[in-house]
Amino acid sequence: MTEPILEALAVSKRFAQRDGTLRSGPGRLMTALDQVSLTLTPGETVGIAGESGCGKSTLAKLLTGLLPPDSGTIRFRGIPLNRQTPEQQRLFRRSVQMIFQDPFSSLNPRLRIGAAIAEPLAIHGLAPASTRRDQAQRLMAQVGLAPELYDRFPHEFSGGQRQRIGIARALAADPTILVADEPVSSLDISIQAQIINLLLELKQRQGLTMVVISHDLAVLRHVSDRIVVMYLGTVVESAPAATIFNGCRHPYTEALLSAIPQLAFHDRPDRISISQEPPSPSSLPQGCRFHARCPYAQDRCRTQPPPLAELSPGHVAACHLR
C-alpha cells in the first residue's frame, strides 16, 4: 500500500466569534473543523466538497501549515508538522503550495507579476538572481501567459489571467502538492473550464498530487480521483469519485448531486430538497448535524451522532440510514 504523503489526523479548529460590540472578551467559539481526518497519496487528486461555511478553506490552511490545528495532527511524509526540524520545515513549505480562491486579492497590486512569480525562486534558493527572470518567463509560458507580460501589474490582467499568475507562482517553488482552494469560483464559466484543464494538464505533466476544494461537485467530477464531502466541520462521506456520483450513501451528498444542472431534462435526477439554513457553527445541534435539514431524519438522528463507518473499501459515510 502506498504511504500517504500528507495526512490530517482527527484535526479540530475553533475560532472566537465576536458579537460586534467593542467590549472585551473572547466571545463564543465557532467550530470550523471537528475531528476531521484526510489522507493524500502521491499522484492522487482529492476533491473536497460542501457548501460555504463547512470548513473546506480552514482544512486547506491546516494542510498547508498556514494555521495550526487546536487538536489532532498534520503529517507530511510521516512527520508531524509541529515536530519538524528547520530543514524539514523548509522542505514542507516548498513542497506544499496553495492556489488561493480570489485572484484579485491574492496578488500584491504593487508588485509586477514577473517579480511575484520569481519571488519563490529567491525565497527557496532555487535560482540565482541572474536566471530568475528567464525561469519566471518559462513558468508564465507554461500556464498560458505571454512572457513579454512579465513587467505588468496585476490590475492589467483579467480574473482568469490572474489565476494563471497564481498557479505559476505556486509552481515556481517546484512543489509536489498543490492545494487549490475554490480556484475557479470567482471566474466566468468559460474561463473556469480553461483553468480546470490547465490544472489537469499540469498534474499529468509534472506528476503533481492535488487537493481541489469546491462547492461545485460538477467541477470535482472532472478532476478528482476521490471526493470528500463535508458538512458543518465534519466529513459526512468519502469515496472514489465514481462511487460518489453513482452510489452515494449520505442524504447531504445526494442533495448536492441533485442540484447539479443538467442539459437534458431526462438526465435530471429527482431534486432532493433540504430545508432551512445550516445551523450556526457556534451552536451545533445534537445528534446528526444534518438532521434538521434532512428529508429522511428519524428520532435517533436527532439525538445520536452517526459514526463515520466503512461501507465498502474506500467508501465511508456518517448516516444512521446508510
Side-chain angles (χ1 to χ4, degrees), residues 81-285:
L81 297 192
N82 59 359
R83 296 182 186 175
Q84 289 178 327
T85 65
E87 182 58 34
Q88 289 168 339
Q89 289 177 355
R90 285 191 290 270
L91 176 61
F92 170 76
R93 294 292 182 188
R94 198 188 92 190
S95 299
V96 183
Q97 292 290 310
M98 189 163 179
I99 301 168
F100 295 92
Q101 177 176 0
D102 185 359
F104 296 94
S105 63
S106 61
L107 296 171
N108 185 340
R110 298 187 178 185
L111 193 64
R112 297 179 192 273
I113 63 110
I117 294 171
E119 193 171 32
L121 299 173
I123 291 172
H124 297 288
L126 298 175
S130 59
T131 66
R132 287 174 199 156
R133 183 183 182 99
D134 289 341
Q135 292 203 36
Q137 288 180 322
R138 281 197 292 271
L139 287 165
M140 290 172 64
Q142 192 174 345
V143 299
L145 292 169
E148 55 267 26
L149 302 176
Y150 182 97
D151 289 314
R152 294 195 180 182
F153 289 96
H155 73 269
E156 300 179 71
F157 295 89
S158 67
Q161 288 174 316
R162 293 188 202 190
Q163 197 61 290
R164 290 175 188 270
I165 295 166
I167 294 171
R169 180 180 59 184
L171 292 176
D174 193 22
T176 54
I177 300 172
L178 281 182
V179 179
D181 184 12
E182 298 271 14
V184 298
S185 64
S186 62
L187 306 178
D188 293 339
I189 294 295
S190 60
I191 306 301
Q192 288 184 13
Q194 294 176 21
I195 298 300
I196 290 299
N197 289 335
L198 173 61
L199 291 174
L200 288 172
E201 180 184 340
L202 290 171
K203 177 190 174 180
Q204 295 299 322
R205 185 192 308 163
Q206 300 187 209
L208 293 169
T209 303
M210 294 174 53
V211 176
V212 180
I213 293 170
S214 180
H215 63 276
D216 189 344
L217 277 170
V219 169
L220 296 182
R221 183 175 198 169
H222 293 290
V223 301
S224 304
D225 301 308
R226 182 161 50 95
I227 293 176
V228 175
V229 180
M230 294 184 62
Y231 183 77
L232 271 184
T234 63
V235 173
V236 296
E237 187 163 12
S238 175
T243 302
I244 288 291
F245 281 88
N246 298 319
C248 73
R249 300 286 293 277
H250 196 281
Y252 180 62
T253 308
E254 188 179 357
L256 292 179
L257 290 172
S258 75
I260 298 175
Q262 303 291 336
L263 292 178
F265 182 80
H266 58 79
D267 290 336
R268 298 177 186 173
D270 293 335
R271 180 63 62 90
I272 306 299
S273 176
I274 52 177
S275 60
Q276 307 179 25
E277 292 295 316
S280 169
S282 61
S283 181
L284 295 173

